[in-house]
Amino acid sequence: MTLQTIKTHAVHGGTLRYLRHDSATTGTPMTLSVFTPPGEGPFPVLIWLSGLTCTEDNFTTKAGAYAAAAEQGVIIVAPDTSPRGEGVADDPAYDLGQGAGFYVDAIEAPWAEHFRMESYVTGELIGLIDAEFPTTKARSISGHSMGGHGALTLALRHPHLFRSVSAFAPITSPTRCPWGEKAFTAYLGEDQEVWAEHDAARLIEAGVGGGCYDDILIDQGDADPFLMDQLKPDLLVAAAEAAGQRVTLRMQPGYDHSYFFMASFIGDHVAFHAERLKA
């Protein structure tokens, strides 16, 4: 097995594995968790992308997704958010470098050598999961905050890979918020036309991935402190309305940016994907 098992837990009748492998894409060890539901399979796959500062462990321990995944018969894969380790570029700030890969392939030094998260998720990770687990080779993608940005943009840029996409509190237009402007300048350089290729709202405006998804489900808390300055779901909704792409934005009263918010609605997202993965 290419994937090294670090530890294993029984949960909701299925099996949760923490795994490590040497990535040819990032040139570093990469870690992830994989939940397989009870039974022999094969099962469809939901890939989860986490947000700034997170590892594979945040979703795994806090989201409470595995009861729904066991009931629906869905594998859930949660990779780390960036390459890590000695010799890997980093920054003292929480919103750049290790823990802040933004799911793009960096083209600027010193990031370009290892920060290739788009290629990792859409290529190597998918290949490993299909090779090592009993999958149907049907998959969907979801994520939170920076990972919501990743889920949306990877789904739009690679629609042949995913049946459906959803997000919690995503960075919907990173070219128009401080988090995205900082990261994209570092990873992609000064050319904002290059930035736009990794901005969900602008991709939808440009017709990229249009018509591939019958709906895009987004949950957003109205008490989220990042709502107005960083997340801006209104930009995504406006782009979708203009392009004829259905987006279901559920503004959840009183909810913030935390995993308490995600744990409250994760079952809806697993069911949303399971319906499309099994169609």
Side-chain angles (χ1 to χ4, degrees):
M1 191 176 192
T2 304
L3 294 165
Q4 173 192 356
T5 300
I6 302 169
K7 55 184 176 179
T8 302
H9 302 283
V11 56
H12 292 292
T15 303
L16 174 66
R17 295 174 176 87
Y18 284 87
L19 304 159
R20 179 188 294 116
H21 72 103
D22 291 328
S23 170
T25 304
T26 66
T28 68
M30 293 295 294
T31 53
L32 63 149
S33 73
V34 178
F35 171 79
T36 50
E40 296 183 0
F43 306 105
V45 175
L46 175 61
I47 295 176
W48 173 270
L49 304 181
S50 291
L52 288 167
T53 76
C54 290
T55 70
E56 75 284 353
D57 197 45
N58 298 74
F59 172 84
T60 305
T61 58
K62 295 179 180 179
Y66 300 133
E71 180 182 355
Q72 297 287 350
V74 174
I75 290 172
I76 299 186
V77 177
D80 199 354
T81 55
S82 77
R84 300 178 192 268
E86 187 176 350
V88 177
D90 201 8
D91 189 275
Y94 76 95
D95 53 358
L96 188 67
Q98 296 184 37
F102 269 83
Y103 305 101
V104 300
D105 288 352
I107 57 177
E108 294 290 319
W111 312 103
E113 182 178 0
H114 299 295
F115 280 71
R116 304 188 66 242
M117 290 302 294
E118 177 172 11
S119 290
Y120 175 72
V121 172
T122 60
E124 187 173 15
L125 179 67
I126 286 173
L128 278 172
I129 298 303
D130 283 346
E132 304 288 357
F133 291 91
T135 78
T136 63
K137 295 184 170 55
R139 70 192 69 83
S140 296
I141 192 164
S142 186
H144 169 236
S145 194
M146 177 187 74
H149 141 75
L152 292 169
T153 57
L154 297 188
L156 291 167
R157 286 168 57 82
H158 306 274
H160 61 290
L161 294 178
F162 304 106
R163 294 275 187 90
S164 54
V165 56
S166 72
F168 286 85
I171 303 171
T172 66
S173 190
T175 64
R176 290 175 279 187
C177 77
W179 280 338
E181 291 166 1
K182 178 179 180 178
F184 283 9
T185 300
Y187 299 148
L188 302 176
E190 299 287 346
D191 188 346
Q192 296 197 16
E193 291 186 9
V194 175
W195 294 11
E197 296 172 5
H198 302 277
D199 179 310
R202 296 195 187 280
L203 287 170
I204 289 174
E205 287 173 0
V208 175
C212 294
Y213 302 106
D214 66 323
D215 194 7
I216 297 173
L217 174 61
I218 295 176
D219 274 303
Q220 172 65 62
D222 71 0
D224 190 322
F226 305 112
L227 176 59
M228 301 304 294
D229 292 337
Q230 303 281 14
L231 307 178
K232 303 183 179 183
D234 55 307
L235 296 177
L236 185 75
V237 170
E241 289 177 349
Q245 168 64 59
R246 182 177 178 183
V247 170
T248 298
L249 172 63
R250 306 194 308 185
M251 294 298 299
Q252 303 291 1
Y255 284 89
D256 57 20
H257 200 69
S258 72
Y259 269 89
F260 297 111
F261 164 50
M262 281 172 278
S264 301
F265 302 102
I266 192 68
D268 293 350
H269 285 245
V270 174
F272 171 86
H273 293 296
E275 179 182 358
R276 289 154 179 81
L277 284 165
K278 297 175 183 180

